[in-house]
Amino acid sequence: MKNIEKNRLKQIILSLFSMLILFFICNFLHIKNSENYSYTPLLKNLEKQETALEPEELFNETWHLIKSSYWDNELNEQNWTRWKKHYAHKIKTEEDAYVAINTMLASLNDPYSRFLSKSEFEEQNTTIDSKIYGIGVNIISTSGKIYIMSVIKGAPADIGGLKAGDMILKINGNDIKGGSIFQAANYIKGSLNSLVELEILRGNKKLVKKIKRAEIKIKTVESDILDKKIGYIRITSFISSNTPVEFIDALNKLKDTEALILDLRGNTGGLFQNAVFVANMFLNKGDIVRVIGRSGKGNAYTAENKEYIYDKPLVVLVDGESASASEIVSSALKDNNRATIVGTKTYGKGVVQKIYSMPNNTGLNLTIARYLTPNGNDINKKGIEPNYFVEITRDDFEKNNDSQLNFAKNILQNELKHSKIAAER
């Protein structure tokens, strides 16, 4: 990859981002006009709706939006009119509306389509703006147990004495054994300056830590140099609007390395366009992802011609929590034979949501499309199989051994060694 000078960083980001957004708009204009299919390139309404509606009107507007925009036009094989008839003249309060909307959404059997109250919608938007209230830990699930993978330096968790490798047993008295990483994360997050109590297991000793939540300045991209020759970039989330800038900056810092490890473990996804942006930086041709609308028609997002591309050897690390946007990147690089995928099978989220700003300062995350990998694979509820299956065991955690990272390093070291031998011949 060519050296990206700092004074040109902003120009590169704006140029590439504008190119991608224009590409999105042009390719989806036909679908929007021909299918009554609402799609925004950023998957997020930019205008906030502050219109105040009566509770039943809020329900009715949500009913219409789902009926017209949900990706499955059969709405999980049901007569959608039944919900309007069922709740007619029964919704009196805001709480009544929330219960009715959530019940209606539950009938879709779609865990990703959800109604957001005012507080939940505000929390989601602050996350997109790179703000979150929590304690500053990255967690990982292995063998049904939740571990702290890393602690952000200077964050409340760091000050409170939490350490990488700690197993979380309970959060605010809730036993999380066998629970999902998403559930644990929701327990940890909360309002500013509120307390969260964690019961942890460190070695053979149980400890209880009470930690005050604070605003965590999210930096979604971390970078390092391993063994002098191998660069390392970890993207913790694709949710932040700052992710593309942070990613280009990380690539620039690693310009003198000879190979790269891209770590997407524990990355549960985020904004669609961030995934396309990152995948685009490694590909000079080929499809990145194919999005299928409610009529079955679709459009492929293809790698764009550009001056800047990282073309050195690449390994991508994934695990069972790598989902959504992480899977878009992983499958694009795997199907185009651009990277070797190492780790465990990914989560399997092959559907795309749009974030709608709704009246009364509420919101709706609605599944409006599904996607296929460049090779045409539907990974929803299936996941992506890595090229090399490598699992981190409990013993690895206790010994602070990252077996997946070490495996990736060995792959790249051997590849660099063989390339050097070939060059000397």
Side-chain angles (χ1 to χ4, degrees):
M1 179 180 176
K2 297 180 181 180
N3 182 12
I4 303 175
E5 300 296 340
K6 287 185 177 180
N7 63 352
R8 297 194 62 195
L9 179 59
K10 184 178 292 187
Q11 179 184 347
I12 296 164
I13 292 294
L14 291 175
S15 175
L16 285 173
F17 227 61
S18 298
M19 175 178 65
L20 285 171
I21 290 173
L22 181 60
F23 177 70
F24 295 162
I25 292 171
C26 291
N27 276 282
F28 274 89
L29 186 59
H30 170 69
I31 292 179
K32 183 175 181 181
N33 289 338
S34 62
E35 303 181 22
N36 190 28
Y37 175 58
S38 178
Y39 187 96
T40 57
L42 299 183
L43 295 187
K44 182 177 183 290
N45 282 352
L46 301 181
E47 294 183 3
K48 183 178 179 181
Q49 284 198 35
E50 297 181 347
T51 307
L53 293 183
E54 292 298 318
E56 186 161 0
E57 292 176 324
L58 177 61
F59 170 83
N60 288 335
E61 179 157 331
T62 307
W63 180 91
H64 281 289
L65 180 57
I66 297 170
K67 185 176 185 296
S68 64
S69 301
Y70 189 63
W71 78 279
D72 175 11
N73 56 16
E74 293 186 358
L75 297 157
N76 197 26
E77 299 181 344
Q78 62 181 309
N79 181 359
W80 200 241
T81 305
R82 72 186 181 100
W83 292 111
K84 204 168 187 180
K85 291 179 179 178
H86 180 76
Y87 286 109
H89 311 301
K90 296 179 182 178
I91 299 172
K92 307 299 181 184
T93 67
E94 188 176 76
E95 183 62 28
D96 289 343
Y98 290 1
V99 170
I101 292 170
N102 286 323
T103 302
M104 180 171 62
L105 283 168
S107 73
L108 297 172
N109 193 26
D110 177 0
Y112 309 114
S113 291
R114 53 189 293 258
F115 183 78
L116 304 172
S117 65
K118 180 180 178 181
S119 60
E120 291 170 333
F121 192 46
E122 286 176 351
E123 181 181 342
Q124 179 171 268
N125 286 336
T126 58
T127 302
I128 292 174
D129 293 334
S130 301
K131 297 177 183 177
I132 194 169
Y133 300 135
I135 61 175
V137 293
N138 293 311
I139 57 178
I140 190 172
S141 175
T142 182
S143 301
K145 298 178 177 65
I146 305 295
Y147 292 88
I148 295 176
M149 185 176 184
S150 61
V151 180
I152 298 175
K153 188 174 181 180
D158 183 31
I159 297 170
L162 292 176
K163 297 181 179 180
D166 288 344
M167 183 197 302
I168 303 176
L169 304 176
K170 294 181 180 179
I171 304 173
N172 287 335
N174 297 294
D175 189 344
I176 62 168
K177 184 178 180 181
S180 71
I181 194 171
F182 305 100
Q183 183 183 48
N186 285 333
Y187 281 143
I188 291 173
K189 291 186 292 185
S191 58
L192 182 65
N193 295 325
S194 62
L195 289 175
V196 58
E197 181 179 283
L198 279 75
E199 181 180 316
I200 62 170
L201 181 65
R202 183 178 295 166
N204 295 321
K205 189 176 181 180
K206 288 185 179 180
L207 302 172
V208 175
K209 301 283 188 179
K210 289 186 177 181
I211 301 174
K212 183 183 288 188
R213 298 180 178 99
E215 181 181 322
I216 306 299
K217 300 291 185 181
I218 301 175
K219 195 173 188 301
T220 60
V221 181
E222 305 167 0
S223 62
D224 200 358
I225 297 177
L226 311 175
D227 301 335
K228 297 182 181 180
K229 296 180 180 180
I230 299 175
Y232 171 85
I233 293 179
R234 179 167 184 253
I235 304 179
T236 58
S237 173
F238 286 96
I239 193 65
S240 171
S241 56
N242 291 330
T243 298
V245 177
E246 294 177 14
F247 181 70
I248 292 293
D249 189 43
L251 281 179
N252 187 51
K253 290 177 181 177
L254 302 175
K255 62 182 182 295
D256 294 327
T257 57
E258 299 177 12
L260 180 68
I261 295 172
L262 178 63
D263 192 346
L264 300 180
R265 294 175 296 178
N267 185 329
T268 56
L271 299 180
F272 178 87
Q273 82 275 9
N274 284 351
V276 175
F277 182 92
V278 170
N280 196 53
M281 291 304 299
F282 295 107
L283 298 169
N284 58 7
K285 63 180 181 178
D287 289 346
I288 294 173
V289 65
R290 184 173 178 82
V291 178
I292 310 298
R294 60 186 279 147
S295 72
K297 295 180 181 179
N299 271 61
Y301 292 86
T302 304
E304 297 290 325
N305 292 324
K306 53 195 170 300
E307 180 182 357
Y308 302 98
I309 182 172
Y310 187 95
D311 55 2
K312 299 174 184 178
L314 176 66
V315 171
V316 179
L317 295 178
V318 297
D319 62 12
E321 312 302 335
S322 303
S324 190
S326 294
E327 292 174 300
I328 290 175
V329 174
S330 302
S331 62
L333 300 180
K334 181 184 180 184
D335 285 6
N336 283 288
N337 297 314
R338 175 60 188 89
T340 302
I341 312 298
V342 171
T344 58
K345 186 169 71 172
T346 61
Y347 182 80
K349 180 179 181 291
V351 288
V352 181
Q353 286 70 49
K354 176 178 175 179
I355 306 170
Y356 290 91
S357 294
M358 301 296 289
N360 301 3
N361 296 311
T362 60
L364 178 67
N365 291 353
L366 187 67
T367 301
I368 49 88
R370 62 189 178 95
Y371 71 80
L372 304 178
T373 73
N375 285 348
N377 298 319
D378 183 350
I379 59 95
N380 199 46
K381 298 181 181 180
K382 300 174 186 176
I384 300 166
E385 294 286 352
N387 297 108
Y388 294 97
F389 180 87
V390 181
E391 188 174 22
I392 292 181
T393 65
R394 181 173 179 176
D395 186 56
D396 288 328
F397 265 104
E398 291 175 349
K399 294 180 180 179
N400 197 28
N401 175 48
D402 192 336
S403 55
Q404 294 169 336
L405 181 63
N406 291 335
F407 194 94
K409 286 196 293 185
N410 287 336
I411 288 177
L412 292 175
Q413 287 167 347
N414 288 332
E415 188 169 344
L416 292 174
K417 181 180 178 181
H418 292 151
S419 296
K420 184 177 180 180
I421 291 173
E424 291 174 349
R425 289 176 178 174

